[in-house]
Coordinates of all heavy atoms in Angstrom, one line a residue:
A810 N -25.6 -94.5 -141.0 CA -25.1 -95.5 -141.9 C -25.9 -95.5 -143.2 O -25.3 -95.7 -144.3 CB -25.1 -96.9 -141.2
S811 N -27.2 -95.4 -143.1 CA -28.1 -95.4 -144.3 C -27.7 -94.2 -145.2 O -27.8 -94.4 -146.4 CB -29.5 -95.4 -143.9 OG -29.9 -94.2 -143.4
I812 N -27.5 -93.1 -144.6 CA -27.1 -91.9 -145.4 C -25.8 -92.1 -146.1 O -25.6 -91.9 -147.3 CB -27.1 -90.6 -144.5 CG1 -28.4 -90.3 -144.0 CG2 -26.4 -89.5 -145.3 CD1 -29.4 -89.8 -145.0
L813 N -24.8 -92.7 -145.4 CA -23.5 -92.9 -146.0 C -23.7 -93.9 -147.2 O -23.0 -93.7 -148.3 CB -22.6 -93.5 -145.0 CG -22.2 -92.5 -143.8 CD1 -21.2 -93.3 -142.9 CD2 -21.5 -91.3 -144.3
A814 N -24.4 -94.9 -147.0 CA -24.6 -96.0 -148.0 C -25.3 -95.3 -149.3 O -25.0 -95.6 -150.4 CB -25.4 -97.1 -147.5
R815 N -26.3 -94.5 -149.0 CA -27.1 -93.9 -150.0 C -26.2 -93.0 -150.9 O -26.4 -92.9 -152.1 CB -28.2 -92.9 -149.4 CG -29.1 -92.2 -150.3 CD -30.1 -91.5 -149.6 NE -31.0 -90.7 -150.4 CZ -31.9 -89.9 -150.0 NH1 -32.0 -89.7 -148.7 NH2 -32.7 -89.3 -150.8
F816 N -25.2 -92.3 -150.3 CA -24.3 -91.5 -151.2 C -22.9 -92.0 -151.4 O -22.0 -91.3 -151.7 CB -24.2 -90.1 -150.5 CG -25.6 -89.4 -150.4 CD1 -26.2 -89.2 -149.2 CD2 -26.2 -89.0 -151.6 CE1 -27.5 -88.5 -149.2 CE2 -27.4 -88.3 -151.6 CZ -28.0 -88.1 -150.4
G817 N -22.8 -93.4 -151.2 CA -21.6 -94.0 -151.7 C -20.4 -94.0 -150.7 O -19.4 -94.5 -151.1
R818 N -20.6 -93.4 -149.5 CA -19.5 -93.5 -148.6 C -19.4 -94.9 -148.1 O -20.3 -95.5 -147.7 CB -19.8 -92.6 -147.4 CG -18.6 -92.3 -146.5 CD -17.4 -91.7 -147.1 NE -17.8 -90.3 -147.6 CZ -17.7 -89.2 -146.9 NH1 -17.2 -89.3 -145.6 NH2 -17.9 -88.1 -147.4
G819 N -18.1 -95.4 -148.1 CA -17.9 -96.8 -147.8 C -17.9 -97.8 -149.0 O -17.7 -98.9 -148.9
Q820 N -18.4 -97.2 -150.2 CA -18.3 -98.0 -151.4 C -17.0 -97.6 -152.1 O -16.3 -96.8 -151.6 CB -19.5 -97.7 -152.2 CG -20.9 -98.0 -151.5 CD -22.0 -97.5 -152.3 OE1 -21.9 -97.4 -153.6 NE2 -23.2 -97.3 -151.7
D821 N -16.9 -98.2 -153.3 CA -15.7 -97.7 -154.1 C -16.0 -96.3 -154.7 O -17.2 -95.9 -154.7 CB -15.4 -98.7 -155.2 CG -16.6 -98.8 -156.2 OD1 -16.7 -97.9 -157.1 OD2 -17.4 -99.7 -156.1
E822 N -15.0 -95.6 -155.1 CA -15.1 -94.2 -155.4 C -16.1 -94.0 -156.6 O -16.9 -93.1 -156.6 CB -13.7 -93.7 -155.8 CG -13.4 -92.4 -155.1 CD -12.0 -91.9 -155.4 OE1 -11.8 -91.2 -156.4 OE2 -11.1 -92.3 -154.6
E823 N -16.0 -94.9 -157.6 CA -16.9 -94.7 -158.8 C -18.3 -94.9 -158.4 O -19.2 -94.1 -158.9 CB -16.5 -95.8 -159.8 CG -17.2 -95.7 -161.1 CD -16.8 -96.7 -162.2 OE1 -15.8 -97.4 -161.8 OE2 -17.5 -96.8 -163.2
A824 N -18.6 -95.9 -157.6 CA -20.0 -96.2 -157.1 C -20.5 -95.0 -156.4 O -21.6 -94.6 -156.5 CB -20.1 -97.4 -156.3
G825 N -19.6 -94.5 -155.5 CA -20.1 -93.3 -154.7 C -20.4 -92.1 -155.6 O -21.3 -91.4 -155.3
Q826 N -19.5 -91.8 -156.6 CA -19.8 -90.7 -157.4 C -21.1 -90.9 -158.2 O -21.8 -89.9 -158.4 CB -18.6 -90.5 -158.3 CG -18.6 -89.3 -159.2 CD -18.7 -88.0 -158.4 OE1 -18.1 -87.9 -157.3 NE2 -19.5 -87.0 -158.8
K827 N -21.3 -92.1 -158.7 CA -22.6 -92.3 -159.4 C -23.8 -92.1 -158.5 O -24.8 -91.5 -158.9 CB -22.6 -93.7 -159.9 CG -21.7 -94.0 -161.1 CD -21.9 -95.4 -161.6 CE -20.9 -95.6 -162.8 NZ -21.0 -97.0 -163.3
A828 N -23.7 -92.5 -157.2 CA -24.8 -92.2 -156.3 C -25.0 -90.8 -156.1 O -26.2 -90.3 -156.0 CB -24.5 -92.9 -155.0
I829 N -23.9 -90.0 -155.9 CA -24.0 -88.5 -155.8 C -24.6 -87.9 -157.0 O -25.5 -87.0 -156.9 CB -22.7 -87.9 -155.5 CG1 -22.2 -88.4 -154.1 CG2 -22.6 -86.4 -155.6 CD1 -20.8 -88.0 -153.8
E830 N -24.2 -88.3 -158.2 CA -24.7 -87.7 -159.4 C -26.2 -88.0 -159.6 O -27.0 -87.2 -160.0 CB -23.9 -88.2 -160.6 CG -22.4 -87.6 -160.6 CD -21.6 -88.3 -161.7 OE1 -22.1 -89.2 -162.4 OE2 -20.4 -87.9 -161.9
S831 N -26.5 -89.3 -159.3 CA -27.9 -89.7 -159.4 C -28.8 -88.8 -158.5 O -29.9 -88.4 -158.8 CB -28.0 -91.2 -159.1 OG -29.4 -91.5 -159.0
E832 N -28.3 -88.6 -157.2 CA -29.1 -87.9 -156.3 C -29.3 -86.4 -156.8 O -30.4 -85.8 -156.6 CB -28.4 -87.9 -154.9 CG -29.1 -87.1 -153.8 CD -30.4 -87.7 -153.4 OE1 -30.6 -88.9 -153.7 OE2 -31.2 -87.0 -152.7
H833 N -28.2 -85.9 -157.4 CA -28.3 -84.5 -157.8 C -29.3 -84.3 -159.0 O -29.7 -83.2 -159.2 CB -26.9 -84.0 -158.2 CG -26.8 -82.5 -158.4 ND1 -27.4 -81.6 -157.6 CD2 -26.2 -81.9 -159.4 CE1 -27.1 -80.4 -158.1 NE2 -26.4 -80.5 -159.2
K834 N -29.5 -85.4 -159.8 CA -30.4 -85.3 -161.0 C -31.8 -85.6 -160.7 O -32.6 -85.6 -161.5 CB -29.8 -86.2 -162.1 CG -28.5 -85.8 -162.6 CD -27.9 -86.8 -163.6 CE -26.5 -86.4 -164.1 NZ -26.0 -87.3 -165.0
R835 N -32.1 -85.9 -159.4 CA -33.5 -86.2 -159.1 C -34.5 -85.0 -159.5 O -34.1 -83.9 -159.5 CB -33.7 -86.4 -157.6 CG -33.1 -87.7 -157.1 CD -33.3 -87.9 -155.6 NE -32.9 -86.6 -155.0 CZ -33.4 -86.2 -153.8 NH1 -34.3 -86.9 -153.2 NH2 -32.9 -85.0 -153.3
P836 N -35.7 -85.4 -159.8 CA -36.7 -84.4 -160.1 C -36.8 -83.3 -159.0 O -36.8 -83.7 -157.8 CB -38.0 -85.1 -160.3 CG -37.6 -86.5 -160.7 CD -36.3 -86.7 -159.9
V837 N -36.9 -82.0 -159.3 CA -37.0 -81.1 -158.2 C -38.4 -81.1 -157.6 O -39.4 -81.1 -158.3 CB -36.7 -79.6 -158.8 CG1 -37.0 -78.6 -157.7 CG2 -35.3 -79.6 -159.3
R838 N -38.4 -81.1 -156.3 CA -39.7 -81.1 -155.6 C -39.6 -80.1 -154.5 O -39.5 -80.3 -153.3 CB -39.9 -82.5 -154.9 CG -41.3 -82.7 -154.2 CD -41.2 -83.9 -153.4 NE -40.2 -83.8 -152.4 CZ -39.6 -84.9 -151.9 NH1 -40.0 -86.1 -152.2 NH2 -38.6 -84.8 -151.0
G839 N -39.6 -78.8 -155.0 CA -39.4 -77.7 -154.0 C -37.9 -77.7 -153.6 O -37.5 -76.9 -152.7
T840 N -37.1 -78.6 -154.1 CA -35.6 -78.8 -153.8 C -35.3 -78.8 -152.3 O -34.5 -78.0 -151.8 CB -34.8 -77.6 -154.5 OG1 -35.3 -76.3 -154.0 CG2 -35.0 -77.7 -156.0
F841 N -36.1 -79.6 -151.5 CA -35.7 -79.7 -150.1 C -35.9 -81.2 -149.8 O -36.7 -81.9 -150.4 CB -36.5 -78.9 -149.2 CG -38.0 -79.1 -149.3 CD1 -38.6 -80.1 -148.5 CD2 -38.8 -78.4 -150.1 CE1 -39.9 -80.3 -148.5 CE2 -40.2 -78.5 -150.1 CZ -40.8 -79.5 -149.3
E842 N -35.2 -81.6 -148.7 CA -35.3 -83.0 -148.3 C -36.3 -83.1 -147.1 O -36.4 -82.1 -146.3 CB -33.9 -83.5 -147.7 CG -32.8 -83.6 -148.8 CD -33.2 -84.7 -149.7 OE1 -33.8 -85.7 -149.4 OE2 -32.7 -84.6 -150.9
P843 N -37.1 -84.2 -147.0 CA -37.9 -84.4 -145.8 C -37.1 -84.7 -144.6 O -35.9 -85.0 -144.7 CB -38.8 -85.6 -146.3 CG -37.9 -86.5 -147.2 CD -37.1 -85.4 -147.9
P844 N -37.7 -84.6 -143.4 CA -37.0 -85.0 -142.2 C -36.6 -86.4 -142.3 O -37.2 -87.2 -143.0 CB -38.0 -84.8 -141.1 CG -39.0 -83.8 -141.6 CD -39.1 -84.2 -143.1
P845 N -35.5 -86.8 -141.5 CA -35.0 -88.2 -141.6 C -36.1 -89.1 -141.0 O -36.8 -88.8 -140.1 CB -33.8 -88.1 -140.7 CG -33.9 -86.9 -139.8 CD -34.7 -85.9 -140.7
P846 N -36.1 -90.3 -141.5 CA -37.1 -91.3 -141.0 C -36.8 -91.6 -139.5 O -35.6 -91.7 -139.1 CB -36.9 -92.5 -141.9 CG -35.4 -92.4 -142.5 CD -35.2 -90.9 -142.6
G847 N -37.9 -91.9 -138.8 CA -37.7 -92.2 -137.4 C -37.7 -91.1 -136.4 O -37.7 -91.3 -135.2
I848 N -37.5 -89.8 -136.9 CA -37.5 -88.8 -135.9 C -39.0 -88.3 -135.6 O -39.7 -88.1 -136.5 CB -36.7 -87.6 -136.5 CG1 -36.6 -86.5 -135.5 CG2 -37.3 -87.0 -137.8 CD1 -35.6 -85.3 -135.9
G849 N -39.2 -88.2 -134.3 CA -40.6 -88.0 -133.9 C -40.8 -86.7 -133.3 O -39.9 -85.8 -133.1
L850 N -42.0 -86.4 -132.8 CA -42.4 -85.1 -132.2 C -41.5 -84.8 -131.0 O -40.9 -83.7 -130.8 CB -43.8 -85.1 -131.7 CG -44.3 -83.9 -130.9 CD1 -44.2 -82.6 -131.6 CD2 -45.7 -84.2 -130.4
T851 N -41.3 -85.8 -130.1 CA -40.5 -85.6 -128.9 C -39.0 -85.3 -129.2 O -38.4 -84.5 -128.5 CB -40.7 -86.8 -127.9 OG1 -40.2 -88.0 -128.6 CG2 -42.1 -87.0 -127.5
D852 N -38.6 -86.0 -130.3 CA -37.1 -85.7 -130.7 C -37.0 -84.3 -131.1 O -36.0 -83.6 -130.7 CB -36.7 -86.6 -131.9 CG -36.8 -88.1 -131.5 OD1 -36.2 -88.5 -130.4 OD2 -37.4 -88.9 -132.2
V853 N -37.9 -83.8 -131.9 CA -37.8 -82.4 -132.4 C -37.9 -81.4 -131.3 O -37.1 -80.5 -131.2 CB -38.9 -82.1 -133.5 CG1 -38.9 -80.7 -133.9 CG2 -38.6 -83.0 -134.8
A854 N -38.9 -81.7 -130.4 CA -39.1 -80.8 -129.3 C -37.9 -80.7 -128.4 O -37.5 -79.7 -127.9 CB -40.3 -81.2 -128.5
A855 N -37.3 -81.9 -128.1 CA -36.2 -81.9 -127.2 C -34.9 -81.3 -127.8 O -34.2 -80.5 -127.1 CB -35.8 -83.4 -126.8
M856 N -34.7 -81.6 -129.1 CA -33.6 -80.9 -129.8 C -33.7 -79.5 -129.9 O -32.7 -78.7 -129.7 CB -33.4 -81.6 -131.1 CG -32.9 -83.0 -131.1 SD -33.2 -83.9 -132.7 CE -32.2 -83.0 -133.8

């Protein structure tokens, strides 16, 4: 749900597009995303 809200899914179309464009213009940091919050060692091992 937090990912959907972050990128405008469930909002109106204009707000969603702005969220997507804003995300795409972020400063490049190696251009990768960190692991999702809350995922732990046992989750990764099991998956």
Side-chain angles (χ1 to χ4, degrees):
S811 73
I812 292 292
L813 294 179
R815 181 179 179 184
F816 295 113
R818 188 65 62 89
Q820 305 174 19
D821 63 80
E822 230 176 87
E823 183 179 353
Q826 185 59 36
K827 286 182 179 178
I829 290 171
E830 291 172 357
S831 173
E832 180 68 16
H833 190 45
K834 292 176 182 177
R835 287 178 312 153
V837 173
R838 185 193 55 206
T840 61
F841 61 85
E842 294 289 333
I848 185 170
L850 170 64
T851 57
D852 297 312
V853 173
M856 290 163 62

